[in-house]
Amino acid sequence: MEGWETETFQANCLIFKILYFSEMKDLKNKTSYQRKKPMFQINYSNYQSFSSYLKEVLKTSLITSIPEIAENKSWVKKIIKIIVFILCLIGFTYQTLDFLWMYLEYPTVLNAFITNPYEIEQPAITICNYNRKRRSFICSLEDNDCVFLNPEKFCELYTQYCPNKDPKRAFTGIPDFTDLVDWVYDWEYMYMESHNETMIDKCKLRLGEKTWDCSKKYMRIPVMDKKGEPNCCFTIESLVGQPDAEQELYPNTFTIELDLNIQPEEYVLSHLPVMIQVTIHDRRALVNPFTDGHSLEGGMQYTAYVSMVC
């Protein structure tokens, strides 16, 4: 009896395992079938082909003219409508891109009225040297080391820094590079090392046959150059700080004659161009020639005409 009961128990376990694995297989097949279901629960059996399904989808489209094209039974009319739709789409795209390009360019319309009155207000002139440091000042400091070259050799190597190619007028001291580095910016020190009012050799005001000297009270102003480094400029005939001073009116034949000495013998770097920055502006304003002026090369003669813009 015990042996028979053991065999019966084993048979029952075998039947249970078969049923268990059968149910697991059915569950696995059901899960696999569900995974293979088409996306969006679309029943493709309702449509004879993919073209009929696509046609039905296009009929419900919210894009203008697409449903009309899909519902039309004539191929000729369909083709005509498709061509018209494509042309409209191309035109819309072109206009959109054209407007986008115009928006990105951000055009600005400026209405300028230039007059040539008989009388003009006397302007002011601000000048700055492109070079920030004078070699003569740097070499005059006790802690700096400068190498003095032979004047003839110096003028041969650095022709642009030799005035009129005259060795006697050239300053031949070459400072060490470390002496040119600004560890800390100091405006007072910058005033001493930069070019001063000796750049202005002559300044005269002319009206017809009458000439007279400019005011020698040149205003020294601190500015930042294009590299963001401090520099020193001088303004001629400025009225800044004189609120009670009256503007002087002159006929439009009024001229200002300037002879400027760029002092190329003082330049510290051989790659710097020998030039100055100049701007003509209102006498009651301070202007930075590096941002609102013009570059003038040395050894040239320039003529500037002043216009009044409203």
Side-chain angles (χ1 to χ4, degrees), residues 99-158:
F99 178 78
L100 179 62
W101 291 331
M102 182 179 66
Y103 174 77
L104 294 177
E105 290 177 358
Y106 196 72
T108 303
V109 178
L110 175 65
N111 295 323
F113 301 92
I114 301 177
T115 61
N116 188 19
Y118 175 73
E119 290 185 337
I120 60 172
E121 294 181 355
Q122 179 183 345
I125 302 176
T126 300
I127 62 171
C128 310
N129 202 307
Y130 207 81
N131 180 57
R132 293 180 52 243
K133 301 174 182 287
R134 293 182 296 120
R135 282 188 292 116
S136 60
F137 175 79
I138 296 174
C139 291
S140 66
L141 301 178
E142 296 181 357
D143 297 335
N144 294 344
D145 295 327
C146 290
V147 177
F148 288 86
L149 302 179
N150 180 274
E152 286 76 13
K153 183 178 180 181
F154 180 86
C155 288
E156 182 181 349
L157 294 175
Y158 308 104

Side-chain angles (χ1 to χ4, degrees), residues 2-149:
E2 292 179 358
W4 184 80
E5 290 179 357
T6 302
E7 292 177 358
T8 304
F9 176 75
Q10 291 177 352
N12 290 335
C13 289
L14 180 60
I15 293 172
F16 174 75
K17 288 181 178 179
I18 293 173
L19 292 175
Y20 174 76
F21 284 113
S22 177
E23 290 178 358
M24 289 297 295
K25 186 176 181 180
D26 293 340
L27 180 61
K28 184 177 181 181
N29 292 336
K30 185 177 181 181
T31 304
S32 176
Y33 172 75
Q34 290 178 351
R35 289 180 179 176
K36 293 181 180 179
K37 277 188 175 182
M39 193 177 294
F40 306 120
Q41 302 295 328
I42 298 175
N43 189 358
Y44 295 104
S45 61
N46 295 335
Y47 304 99
Q48 297 178 356
S49 62
F50 177 75
S51 60
S52 59
Y53 163 72
L54 181 62
K55 182 178 180 181
E56 192 66 27
V57 172
L58 294 178
K59 285 182 180 180
T60 59
S61 174
L62 297 178
I63 302 176
T64 306
S65 75
I66 293 296
E68 288 78 2
I69 296 175
E71 292 177 354
N72 207 309
K73 297 181 179 180
S74 174
W75 278 102
V76 176
K77 293 183 178 180
K78 280 186 178 181
I79 293 174
I80 294 175
K81 290 184 177 181
I82 290 174
I83 293 174
V84 173
F85 175 76
I86 293 175
L87 292 176
C88 292
L89 183 62
I90 293 174
F92 169 76
T93 305
Y94 173 78
Q95 289 185 345
T96 302
L97 292 177
D98 185 58
F99 178 78
L100 179 62
W101 291 331
M102 182 179 66
Y103 174 77
L104 294 177
E105 290 177 358
Y106 196 72
T108 303
V109 178
L110 175 65
N111 295 323
F113 301 92
I114 301 177
T115 61
N116 188 19
Y118 175 73
E119 290 185 337
I120 60 172
E121 294 181 355
Q122 179 183 345
I125 302 176
T126 300
I127 62 171
C128 310
N129 202 307
Y130 207 81
N131 180 57
R132 293 180 52 243
K133 301 174 182 287
R134 293 182 296 120
R135 282 188 292 116
S136 60
F137 175 79
I138 296 174
C139 291
S140 66
L141 301 178
E142 296 181 357
D143 297 335
N144 294 344
D145 295 327
C146 290
V147 177
F148 288 86
L149 302 179

Side-chain angles (χ1 to χ4, degrees), residues 118 120 206-208 250-255:
Y118 175 73
I120 60 172
R206 178 183 295 275
L207 183 59
Y250 292 100
N252 54 17
T253 56
F254 172 78
T255 59

Side-chain angles (χ1 to χ4, degrees), residues 247-260:
Q247 285 280 15
E248 298 181 23
L249 296 177
Y250 292 100
N252 54 17
T253 56
F254 172 78
T255 59
I256 301 177
E257 298 178 355
L258 282 175
D259 286 346
L260 302 177

